[in-house]
């Protein structure tokens, strides 16, 4: 192993240790109070304490839930433990979205794989109904062994995706350059576990093994304390008191270093580098950000 490889492994181990500490220490919401189970016919479960939620998938159906509140800007944390073992064909989605054909959306999707092969973390940003901004990553840990924290920081300047406090992607507000940015549509938080074996694993070549069902993903530690409730284009950010430093937060020098490290070592797809897909030219944000 090269010296650079040793440094990369040491950094990955340090980030895993830090992430587990963050997950253990973070505030824990109550799923009964914060979310509604929206589908699954009993396959989604919230124990009486409200501190845990599980989604399950079998050959008949998956399951899902939605937040009771809508948000217009915020820092949203969720701790997830993904489907273990042979999860090929399954998708665990965790995202913010408004409604309608011109909706805005901020996506985390976890694409399952065969036992021993890594999950693919798929991210995307939709503005006014237009997506096609995919970036995909492998993780520097096994996301099925323990809970890890997946965060979205969404403010008027940018959207930052983070894993265990480590930023992996930033989508900047480049409206001044003609690039649309989600800023006026309040979004709900959604999550679901479903079968997508027509595309999820190796482009659909690997199918779901239903002998392994039911598949289960677990959630805890939801935190929206740094978030603003939104409706009808307005946000509680304008009236609520308290610390709103996150509303102007951007990546500092350490954050910039970490995002470069992640993208160098763990990014497996970037739409801004897909010359075959964008043979007529990349989207404008690719050269501006």
């Amino acid at each position: 192993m090269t010296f650079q490889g040793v440094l990369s492994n040491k950094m990955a181990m340090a980030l895993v240790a830090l992430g587990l500490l963050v997950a253990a220490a973070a505030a824990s919401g109550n799923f009964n109070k914060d979310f509604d189970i929206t589908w699954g016919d009993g396959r989604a479960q919230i124990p009486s304490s409200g501190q845990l939620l599980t989604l399950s998938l079998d050959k008949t159906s998956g399951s899902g839930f939605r937040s009771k509140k809508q948000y217009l800007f915020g820092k949203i944390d969720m701790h997830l433990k993904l489907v273990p073992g042979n999860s090929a064909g399954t998708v665990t989605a965790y995202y913010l979205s408004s409604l309608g054909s011109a909706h805005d959306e901020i996506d985390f999707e976890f694409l399952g794989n065969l036992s021993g092969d890594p999950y693919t973390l798929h991210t995307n940003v939709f503005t006014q109904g237009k997506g096609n901004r995919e970036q995909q990553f492998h993780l520097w840990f096994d996301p099925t062994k323990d809970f890890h924290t997946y965060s979205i920081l969404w403010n008027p300047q940018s959207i930052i995706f983070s894993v265990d406090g480590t930023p992996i992607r930033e989508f900047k507000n480049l409206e001044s350059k003609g690039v649309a940015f989600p800023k006026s549509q309040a979004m709900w938080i959604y999550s679901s576990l479903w079968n997508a074996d027509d595309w999820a694993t190796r482009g659909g070549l690997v199918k779901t093994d239903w002998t392994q069902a039911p598949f289960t993903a677990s959630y805890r530690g939801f935190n929206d304390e740094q978030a603003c409730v939104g409706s009808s284009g307005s946000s509680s950010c304008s009236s609520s008191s308290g610390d709103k430093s996150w509303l102007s937060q951007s990546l500092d020098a350490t954050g910039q270093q970490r995002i470069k490290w992640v993208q160098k070592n763990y990014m497996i797809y970037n739409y801004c580098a897909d010359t075959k897909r964008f043979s007529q030219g990349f989207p404008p944000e690719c050269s501006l950000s």
Side-chain angles (χ1 to χ4, degrees), residues 88-89 111-113 120 136 196-207:
L111 314 184
N113 214 331
T120 294
Q136 295 183 339
D197 66 3
D198 56 332
W199 65 270
T201 306
R202 299 181 189 174
L205 294 177
V206 182
K207 302 300 183 182

Side-chain angles (χ1 to χ4, degrees), residues 105-146:
E105 188 172 328
I106 305 168
D107 288 346
F108 274 116
E109 289 186 318
F110 304 89
L111 314 184
N113 214 331
L114 295 168
S115 298
D117 290 339
Y119 263 82
T120 294
L121 171 53
H122 175 101
T123 66
N124 204 352
V125 176
F126 286 74
T127 56
Q128 300 172 14
K130 180 181 180 298
N132 299 325
R133 299 184 176 100
E134 300 91 345
Q135 289 184 354
Q136 295 183 339
F137 306 83
H138 286 157
L139 294 166
W140 49 94
F141 55 84
D142 183 343
T144 73
K145 297 296 186 184
D146 211 329

